[in-house]
PDB file of all heavy atoms in Angstrom:
ATOM      1  N   ARG L 244      83.458 113.158 110.338  1.00 96.00           N
ATOM      2  CA  ARG L 244      84.056 111.824 110.230  1.00 96.00           C
ATOM      3  C   ARG L 244      85.576 111.944 110.241  1.00 96.00           C
ATOM      4  O   ARG L 244      86.162 112.881 109.664  1.00 96.00           O
ATOM      5  CB  ARG L 244      83.607 111.138 108.944  1.00 96.00           C
ATOM      6  CG  ARG L 244      82.110 110.914 108.869  1.00 96.00           C
ATOM      7  CD  ARG L 244      81.687 109.764 109.751  1.00 96.00           C
ATOM      8  NE  ARG L 244      81.997 108.486 109.108  1.00 96.00           N
ATOM      9  CZ  ARG L 244      81.925 107.316 109.718  1.00 96.00           C
ATOM     10  NH1 ARG L 244      81.619 107.260 111.009  1.00 96.00           N
ATOM     11  NH2 ARG L 244      82.187 106.201 109.072  1.00 96.00           N
ATOM     12  N   MET L 245      86.239 110.978 110.896  1.00 96.00           N
ATOM     13  CA  MET L 245      87.699 110.961 110.898  1.00 96.00           C
ATOM     14  C   MET L 245      88.209 110.708 109.481  1.00 96.00           C
ATOM     15  O   MET L 245      87.578 109.984 108.697  1.00 96.00           O
ATOM     16  CB  MET L 245      88.213 109.865 111.832  1.00 96.00           C
ATOM     17  CG  MET L 245      87.825 110.051 113.287  1.00 96.00           C
ATOM     18  SD  MET L 245      88.770 111.349 114.118  1.00 96.00           S
ATOM     19  CE  MET L 245      90.237 110.436 114.605  1.00 96.00           C
ATOM     20  N   PRO L 246      89.352 111.298 109.099  1.00 97.00           N
ATOM     21  CA  PRO L 246      89.896 111.020 107.767  1.00 97.00           C
ATOM     22  C   PRO L 246      90.230 109.536 107.622  1.00 97.00           C
ATOM     23  O   PRO L 246      90.659 108.883 108.577  1.00 97.00           O
ATOM     24  CB  PRO L 246      91.153 111.893 107.708  1.00 97.00           C
ATOM     25  CG  PRO L 246      91.520 112.135 109.142  1.00 97.00           C
ATOM     26  CD  PRO L 246      90.225 112.175 109.894  1.00 97.00           C
ATOM     27  N   GLY L 247      90.000 109.033 106.424  1.00 96.00           N
ATOM     28  CA  GLY L 247      90.211 107.619 106.149  1.00 96.00           C
ATOM     29  C   GLY L 247      88.951 106.791 106.220  1.00 96.00           C
ATOM     30  O   GLY L 247      88.934 105.655 105.741  1.00 96.00           O
ATOM     31  N   TRP L 248      87.880 107.366 106.811  1.00 95.00           N
ATOM     32  CA  TRP L 248      86.650 106.604 106.981  1.00 95.00           C
ATOM     33  C   TRP L 248      85.736 106.677 105.758  1.00 95.00           C
ATOM     34  O   TRP L 248      84.905 105.797 105.569  1.00 95.00           O
ATOM     35  CB  TRP L 248      85.895 107.091 108.210  1.00 95.00           C
ATOM     36  CG  TRP L 248      86.425 106.552 109.497  1.00 95.00           C
ATOM     37  CD1 TRP L 248      87.427 105.642 109.651  1.00 95.00           C
ATOM     38  CD2 TRP L 248      85.996 106.892 110.815  1.00 95.00           C
ATOM     39  NE1 TRP L 248      87.651 105.385 110.973  1.00 95.00           N
ATOM     40  CE2 TRP L 248      86.777 106.141 111.721  1.00 95.00           C
ATOM     41  CE3 TRP L 248      85.035 107.758 111.326  1.00 95.00           C
ATOM     42  CZ2 TRP L 248      86.617 106.223 113.105  1.00 95.00           C
ATOM     43  CZ3 TRP L 248      84.864 107.847 112.705  1.00 95.00           C
ATOM     44  CH2 TRP L 248      85.649 107.083 113.583  1.00 95.00           C
ATOM     45  N   GLU L 249      85.852 107.734 104.965  1.00 95.00           N
ATOM     46  CA  GLU L 249      84.946 107.905 103.822  1.00 95.00           C
ATOM     47  C   GLU L 249      85.744 107.994 102.527  1.00 95.00           C
ATOM     48  O   GLU L 249      86.972 108.070 102.532  1.00 95.00           O
ATOM     49  CB  GLU L 249      84.082 109.156 104.021  1.00 95.00           C
ATOM     50  CG  GLU L 249      83.226 109.135 105.278  1.00 95.00           C
ATOM     51  CD  GLU L 249      82.229 107.985 105.311  1.00 95.00           C
ATOM     52  OE1 GLU L 249      81.795 107.537 104.223  1.00 95.00           O
ATOM     53  OE2 GLU L 249      81.870 107.542 106.414  1.00 95.00           O
ATOM     54  N   ARG L 250      85.014 107.988 101.421  1.00 94.00           N
ATOM     55  CA  ARG L 250      85.652 107.956 100.107  1.00 94.00           C
ATOM     56  C   ARG L 250      86.532 109.181  99.898  1.00 94.00           C
ATOM     57  O   ARG L 250      86.310 110.260 100.405  1.00 94.00           O
ATOM     58  CB  ARG L 250      84.593 107.851  99.004  1.00 94.00           C
ATOM     59  CG  ARG L 250      83.578 108.988  98.961  1.00 94.00           C
ATOM     60  CD  ARG L 250      83.967 110.024  97.932  1.00 94.00           C
ATOM     61  NE  ARG L 250      82.894 110.994  97.739  1.00 94.00           N
ATOM     62  CZ  ARG L 250      82.821 112.149  98.390  1.00 94.00           C
ATOM     63  NH1 ARG L 250      83.758 112.450  99.283  1.00 94.00           N
ATOM     64  NH2 ARG L 250      81.844 113.008  98.142  1.00 94.00           N
ATOM     65  N   GLY L 251      87.592 108.978  99.128  1.00 96.00           N
ATOM     66  CA  GLY L 251      88.523 110.061  98.849  1.00 96.00           C
ATOM     67  C   GLY L 251      89.381 110.456 100.024  1.00 96.00           C
ATOM     68  O   GLY L 251      89.809 111.613 100.104  1.00 96.00           O
ATOM     69  N   SER L 252      89.683 109.517 100.922  1.00 97.00           N
ATOM     70  CA  SER L 252      90.491 109.881 102.088  1.00 97.00           C
ATOM     71  C   SER L 252      91.343 108.717 102.546  1.00 97.00           C
ATOM     72  O   SER L 252      90.996 107.551 102.331  1.00 97.00           O
ATOM     73  CB  SER L 252      89.592 110.344 103.247  1.00 97.00           C
ATOM     74  OG  SER L 252      88.856 109.258 103.781  1.00 97.00           O
ATOM     75  N   LEU L 253      92.454 109.045 103.189  1.00 97.00           N
ATOM     76  CA  LEU L 253      93.311 108.061 103.833  1.00 97.00           C
ATOM     77  C   LEU L 253      93.894 108.684 105.084  1.00 97.00           C
ATOM     78  O   LEU L 253      94.006 109.908 105.193  1.00 97.00           O
ATOM     79  CB  LEU L 253      94.414 107.559 102.893  1.00 97.00           C
ATOM     80  CG  LEU L 253      95.445 108.555 102.349  1.00 97.00           C
ATOM     81  CD1 LEU L 253      96.581 108.837 103.320  1.00 97.00           C
ATOM     82  CD2 LEU L 253      96.027 108.042 101.035  1.00 97.00           C
ATOM     83  N   ALA L 254      94.282 107.844 106.043  1.00 98.00           N
ATOM     84  CA  ALA L 254      94.852 108.360 107.290  1.00 98.00           C
ATOM     85  C   ALA L 254      95.465 107.228 108.088  1.00 98.00           C
ATOM     86  O   ALA L 254      95.143 106.048 107.891  1.00 98.00           O
ATOM     87  CB  ALA L 254      93.778 109.068 108.127  1.00 98.00           C
ATOM     88  N   VAL L 255      96.347 107.603 108.995  1.00 98.00           N
ATOM     89  CA  VAL L 255      96.868 106.708 110.029  1.00 98.00           C
ATOM     90  C   VAL L 255      96.297 107.215 111.353  1.00 98.00           C
ATOM     91  O   VAL L 255      96.453 108.397 111.688  1.00 98.00           O
ATOM     92  CB  VAL L 255      98.404 106.703 110.067  1.00 98.00           C
ATOM     93  CG1 VAL L 255      98.907 105.840 111.214  1.00 98.00           C
ATOM     94  CG2 VAL L 255      98.968 106.211 108.739  1.00 98.00           C
ATOM     95  N   HIS L 256      95.637 106.328 112.087  1.00 96.00           N
ATOM     96  CA  HIS L 256      94.975 106.718 113.334  1.00 96.00           C
ATOM     97  C   HIS L 256      95.883 106.424 114.524  1.00 96.00           C
ATOM     98  O   HIS L 256      96.462 105.331 114.619  1.00 96.00           O
ATOM     99  CB  HIS L 256      93.651 105.979 113.480  1.00 96.00           C
ATOM    100  CG  HIS L 256      92.594 106.486 112.551  1.00 96.00           C
ATOM    101  ND1 HIS L 256      91.240 106.397 112.819  1.00 96.00           N
ATOM    102  CD2 HIS L 256      92.686 107.121 111.352  1.00 96.00           C
ATOM    103  CE1 HIS L 256      90.552 106.936 111.824  1.00 96.00           C
ATOM    104  NE2 HIS L 256      91.403 107.372 110.917  1.00 96.00           N
ATOM    105  N   GLY L 257      95.953 107.396 115.427  1.00 96.00           N
ATOM    106  CA  GLY L 257      96.880 107.283 116.541  1.00 96.00           C
ATOM    107  C   GLY L 257      96.449 106.327 117.630  1.00 96.00           C
ATOM    108  O   GLY L 257      97.297 105.809 118.364  1.00 96.00           O
ATOM    109  N   ASP L 258      95.153 106.061 117.774  1.00 93.00           N
ATOM    110  CA  ASP L 258      94.720 105.210 118.884  1.00 93.00           C
ATOM    111  C   ASP L 258      95.020 103.743 118.649  1.00 93.00           C
ATOM    112  O   ASP L 258      95.318 103.000 119.582  1.00 93.00           O
ATOM    113  CB  ASP L 258      93.226 105.402 119.169  1.00 93.00           C
ATOM    114  CG  ASP L 258      92.370 105.165 117.933  1.00 93.00           C
ATOM    115  OD1 ASP L 258      92.926 105.114 116.819  1.00 93.00           O
ATOM    116  OD2 ASP L 258      91.138 105.028 118.080  1.00 93.00           O
ATOM    117  N   ASP L 259      94.965 103.285 117.409  1.00 93.00           N
ATOM    118  CA  ASP L 259      95.227 101.871 117.124  1.00 93.00           C
ATOM    119  C   ASP L 259      96.402 101.643 116.183  1.00 93.00           C
ATOM    120  O   ASP L 259      96.804 100.503 115.953  1.00 93.00           O
ATOM    121  CB  ASP L 259      93.967 101.188 116.566  1.00 93.00           C
ATOM    122  CG  ASP L 259      93.402 101.905 115.343  1.00 93.00           C
ATOM    123  OD1 ASP L 259      94.148 102.671 114.696  1.00 93.00           O
ATOM    124  OD2 ASP L 259      92.212 101.700 115.028  1.00 93.00           O
ATOM    125  N   GLY L 260      96.971 102.701 115.601  1.00 96.00           N
ATOM    126  CA  GLY L 260      98.104 102.556 114.694  1.00 96.00           C
ATOM    127  C   GLY L 260      97.748 101.950 113.355  1.00 96.00           C
ATOM    128  O   GLY L 260      98.645 101.600 112.584  1.00 96.00           O
ATOM    129  N   ARG L 261      96.484 101.868 113.045  1.00 96.00           N
ATOM    130  CA  ARG L 261      96.067 101.264 111.781  1.00 96.00           C
ATOM    131  C   ARG L 261      95.942 102.313 110.683  1.00 96.00           C
ATOM    132  O   ARG L 261      95.783 103.495 110.953  1.00 96.00           O
ATOM    133  CB  ARG L 261      94.730 100.534 111.960  1.00 96.00           C
ATOM    134  CG  ARG L 261      94.818  99.333 112.887  1.00 96.00           C
ATOM    135  CD  ARG L 261      93.453  98.710 113.103  1.00 96.00           C
ATOM    136  NE  ARG L 261      93.528  97.548 113.999  1.00 96.00           N
ATOM    137  CZ  ARG L 261      92.473  96.875 114.429  1.00 96.00           C
ATOM    138  NH1 ARG L 261      91.254  97.251 114.051  1.00 96.00           N
ATOM    139  NH2 ARG L 261      92.633  95.846 115.235  1.00 96.00           N
TER     140      ARG L 261
END
Side-chain angles (χ1 to χ4, degrees):
R244 298 284 282 170
M245 298 285 275
W248 280 356
E249 301 299 331
R250 60 98 171 94
S252 70
L253 62 82
V255 176
H256 287 207
D258 55 346
D259 55 20
R261 294 176 180 175

